[in-house]
Amino acid sequence: MRKIASLIALATTLVSAPTFAAPAPAVGGDALSIVTDLTTEVGQRLAGSPREAVARDWAVARLTALGFAKVHIEPFTIPGWERGAETASITAPVPQKLAVTALGYSGATAAEGVTADLVYFPTIEALKAAPDGSLAGKIAFIDHAMKAAQDGGGYGPFGAARRQGPTIAARKGAVAVLIRSIGTDHSRIPHTGVTSWAKDVKPIAAGAVSSPDADLIARLAGRGAALRVALTMTPRFTGEAPSGNVVADLPGRDPKLPPILVGCHLDSWDLATGAIDDGAGCAIITAAALQAAKDGQLARTIRVLWAGTEETGGFGGQAYAAAHANEPHALVLESDTGADRVFRVTFQMAAADKPLAERITADLARFGVYAGDGKPEGGEDVGFIAAKQKTAVIDLNQDMTRYFDWHHTPDDTLDKIDPAQLQQNVDVWAAVLRIVANVSRPIAPAS
Ligand SMILES: [Zn+2]
């Protein structure tokens, strides 16, 4: 409730306010405005949910207001899923609460939950080595040792605990599976993220506990204690659910030239507002396209793809690749690793395009960006079309040292974005787009 003094202050403000109507704020095309407005006005936008549909309409309105052409939604459907209740606690040898969240596409326990012995596996490899049937009636726990790294390199290998672990545990008879959150923080906040079930496996309850809770489980297991855990998790599969991609063009001077495709994803997990994953990415690519064309129309069209349903399996990127299979693309890029600065650029381009890569590298040096080895693939939103068409790819690698502290958690919120680093992304992207969108000859991928 407001204090009376502040009500009086408010009334005074209202009385003394000017009588003319303040002009409506202009629609911001800068990255910070876009991600601020998306996270404030739409909020969480889980794939296939009504909020994701609201986000699509919001995106169409925003991209239209910013002057993009052919702004439209390309609908598709996905297997719907929504979160339910989620609680967990150790009941023996000592009662302790656990901070837990269900993984995307988790199965459910009974409404009243399940209490069972917990079997500790230090790694997914240890789980794989467990004899068939040895987990009958038990809850499997999978630990791992992901550490923060600038290139986020641990996510692929350690993420296997989340992606494949539940299927392996279910095959060995487990009634539920818990993992250490795939993250690098020390908060009592669990990280969600999708798991995928093999066709022959019936989904079981699958959740992640916070890192300090995983430490606790590891310590108790290390003392040889017999652990029992009570788990209630009641998510549900909702059948076929609507999703869609939002696609828009910033038209180039020569409509016959294939476009440069820049991608991000519009959906977020349901636990937060998806500021760094991936509101920031959509903000960066959009603001950069506008910034690149600020001083004059580019030769090639820049196509912006705000993909739907990336988080639960890359459905948006696959739908785009299917819908645009017969339409050539010049080059693809994606922004989906947060809002911190770009530190490195990598090229999937033919040797004949080495001078182009060198020109880009030289131009990016002023932003502290250097060229790295490696073969970029673009990511879930643009990678499918790139693979299908063998399109050239440029990756602008962001500093991911902090990214996995907040990724897929209730802490993925606007305050985690550093405006200066966000703008560095836009400046780097705009520099790249200004160069590549003015290259009129075909850009070939490395074979
Ligand atoms: Zn993402």
Side-chain angles (χ1 to χ4, degrees):
M1 194 191 288
R2 276 176 192 267
K3 294 234 168 65
I4 291 194
S6 71
L7 280 175
I8 291 168
L10 178 67
T12 310
T13 313
L14 289 174
V15 168
S16 62
T19 49
F20 60 85
V27 170
D30 62 290
L32 191 58
S33 294
I34 295 170
V35 68
T36 299
D37 295 349
L38 176 63
T39 54
T40 305
E41 295 167 15
V42 180
Q44 75 82 11
R45 34 199 194 278
L46 181 69
S49 73
R51 293 313 295 174
E52 197 199 17
V54 169
R56 285 193 291 281
D57 291 342
W58 186 96
V60 166
R62 188 56 162 253
L63 290 163
T64 304
L66 291 175
F68 283 80
K70 299 182 187 168
V71 184
H72 66 284
I73 295 169
E74 300 181 355
F76 56 88
T77 59
I78 62 158
W81 177 89
E82 63 185 29
R83 192 174 301 280
E86 39 195 30
T87 61
S89 54
I90 298 170
T91 59
V94 279
Q96 303 246 28
K97 275 197 169 180
L98 299 171
V100 70
T101 196
L103 302 180
Y105 290 142
S106 165
T109 63
E112 67 277 15
V114 62
T115 300
D117 293 342
L118 183 133
V119 184
Y120 175 86
F121 296 99
T123 61
I124 189 168
E125 302 309 324
L127 170 67
K128 284 178 188 165
D132 287 348
S134 62
L135 296 178
K138 300 191 164 129
I139 298 174
F141 180 83
I142 315 167
D143 210 342
H144 63 83
M146 184 178 174
K147 295 282 180 280
Q150 190 182 30
D151 67 357
Y155 187 55
F158 293 114
R162 189 191 80 212
R163 290 184 290 265
Q164 288 107 47
T167 281
I168 298 166
R171 280 212 172 110
K172 293 180 189 291
V175 290
V177 56
L178 293 173
I179 65 166
R180 177 190 289 267
S181 285
I182 309 299
T184 53
D185 61 298
H186 302 280
S187 306
R188 266 194 95 200
I189 292 180
H191 299 232
T192 190
V194 76
T195 192
S196 56
W197 300 102
K199 281 202 173 59
D200 60 314
V201 167
K202 186 169 174 288
I204 56 175
V209 300
S210 77
S211 176
D213 290 313
D215 290 343
L216 171 66
I217 289 169
R219 284 198 304 277
L220 287 169
R223 291 172 184 215
L227 274 90
R228 273 182 82 74
V229 164
L231 176 70
T232 302
M233 210 167 260
T234 60
R236 63 186 195 97
F237 292 87
T238 58
E240 192 173 86
S243 186
N245 292 326
V246 179
V247 181
D249 284 355
L250 198 64
R253 291 193 303 275
D254 186 349
K256 291 193 294 298
L257 289 175
I260 310 278
L261 178 68
V262 295
C264 65
H265 66 87
L266 182 56
D267 65 307
S268 75
W269 281 106
D270 53 336
L271 300 177
T273 58
I276 60 165
D277 187 11
D278 185 29
C282 292
I284 288 164
I285 62 166
T286 305
L290 294 169
Q291 187 168 311
K294 190 165 52 88
D295 299 323
Q297 197 178 15
L298 304 163
R300 286 183 193 274
T301 294
I302 296 177
R303 173 166 300 164
V304 168
L305 165 62
W306 291 26
T309 310
E310 187 274 346
E311 293 293 3
T312 58
F315 291 87
Q318 292 176 58
Y320 181 89
H324 298 268
N326 299 320
E327 190 184 337
H329 295 73
L331 173 75
V332 305
L333 306 94
E334 175 172 317
S335 180
D336 183 20
T337 44
D340 281 350
R341 63 183 287 273
V342 176
F343 71 97
R344 187 175 63 192
V345 56
T346 59
F347 301 92
Q348 160 66 346
M349 277 168 25
D353 275 313
K354 200 161 172 238
L356 175 60
E358 285 171 352
R359 199 175 135 211
I360 292 168
T361 303
D363 192 40
L364 296 188
R366 63 197 159 113
F367 304 110
V369 176
Y370 61 90
D373 300 330
K375 196 171 167 186
E377 293 172 348
E380 292 280 295
D381 305 314
V382 303
F384 290 100
I385 189 76
K388 187 173 268 190
Q389 297 189 341
K390 301 204 187 323
T391 308
V393 184
I394 296 177
D395 273 359
L396 294 168
N397 302 138
Q398 292 171 287
D399 186 338
M400 296 173 78
T401 310
R402 308 190 299 163
Y403 184 63
F404 289 106
D405 288 354
W406 307 312
H407 177 254
H408 296 181
T409 75
D411 250 346
D412 179 357
T413 46
L414 187 64
D415 54 295
K416 308 308 182 302
I417 293 181
D418 169 4
Q421 294 198 63
L422 183 70
Q423 187 58 41
Q424 188 263 11
N425 273 269
V426 176
D427 293 341
V428 169
W429 272 77
V432 174
L433 293 178
R434 208 175 288 124
I435 293 172
V436 294
N438 282 319
V439 173
S440 302
R441 56 177 177 71
I443 303 169
S447 48

